[in-house]
Amino acid sequence: MGNIRKIETITYRQVYRILTGFILAVPLLLSPCFADPEVLVLKRALRPGDVLTAQDLEWETAPRVPSGAVQNPKDIIGKSAKSHLPEGLVMYPQLFETSKIVQQGQTVEVILRSENMDIRYTGIAMQDGGRGQIITVRMPAGTLIGATVLDPGKVVVHE
């Protein structure tokens, strides 16, 4: 029994030293990642309705990243500014809205998509919509359906 206790004590201390070394080393390894946080800002001013492009954005170093700031440019590229946005402004998702690529009353191509085929109809958009939004479309027979905006003038219904 005495030998078992010694082995357990030695094993425990070795594991403890390895874990302690790892815990102390992690902040040193990660510290360059936290040294200079970057925030996404506008390179030029935008007017209400202007569509944001990748060329309108740049990363700047900051003392800290504000809560809620955009971390992935893909979250806002292609969206429209809700109001005037000055150059150098830190980007937040609530500053933008989905660009309307289908307008109410517009004739749209309705794609009924199933696993094996696509069937195409024309319909009338009953409301404005941006890419990925579900809008109501009036079909030729007068029935109303919900369809997802795909591209300008195109909506899709998945079966």
Side-chain angles (χ1 to χ4, degrees):
M1 284 291 221
N3 288 341
I4 294 175
R5 287 185 189 159
K6 281 186 177 182
I7 292 171
E8 286 177 357
T9 304
I10 290 169
T11 303
Y12 174 76
R13 285 184 183 161
Q14 287 177 345
V15 171
Y16 179 75
R17 285 184 185 152
I18 291 169
L19 288 175
T20 302
F22 177 75
I23 291 168
L24 292 174
V26 168
L28 296 175
L29 293 172
L30 296 178
S31 62
C33 298
F34 298 110
D36 296 320
E38 293 187 326
V39 293
L40 198 57
V41 299
L42 274 178
K43 283 168 68 172
R44 69 175 183 96
L46 295 179
R47 297 180 310 234
D50 284 352
V51 177
L52 186 71
T53 66
Q55 292 74 30
D56 296 327
L57 300 169
E58 65 184 351
W59 292 99
E60 284 188 1
T61 57
R64 65 178 185 79
V65 176
S67 176
V70 173
Q71 296 296 304
N72 186 346
K74 291 179 183 178
D75 294 342
I76 56 174
I77 290 174
K79 294 190 175 185
S80 300
K82 288 183 181 179
S83 62
H84 174 77
L85 304 176
E87 178 182 339
L89 182 68
V90 175
M91 297 290 89
Y92 293 91
Q94 57 269 34
L95 298 173
F96 299 92
E97 61 188 356
T98 303
S99 299
K100 305 301 181 198
I101 58 174
V102 169
Q103 282 71 40
Q104 181 178 0
Q106 177 182 355
T107 299
V108 292
E109 180 180 11
V110 180
I111 304 167
L112 299 173
R113 185 164 284 165
S114 69
E115 195 173 309
N116 299 324
M117 72 174 115
D118 289 353
I119 300 172
R120 297 172 189 271
Y121 291 95
T122 57
I124 304 294
M126 302 306 291
Q127 61 198 93
D128 295 342
R131 184 170 278 115
Q133 288 184 318
I134 297 174
I135 63 167
T136 303
V137 176
R138 181 179 306 278
M139 298 301 288
T143 57
L144 299 176
I145 63 167
T148 304
V149 177
L150 186 63
D151 288 316
K154 289 185 182 181
V155 297
V156 64
V157 177
H158 295 278
E159 291 188 312

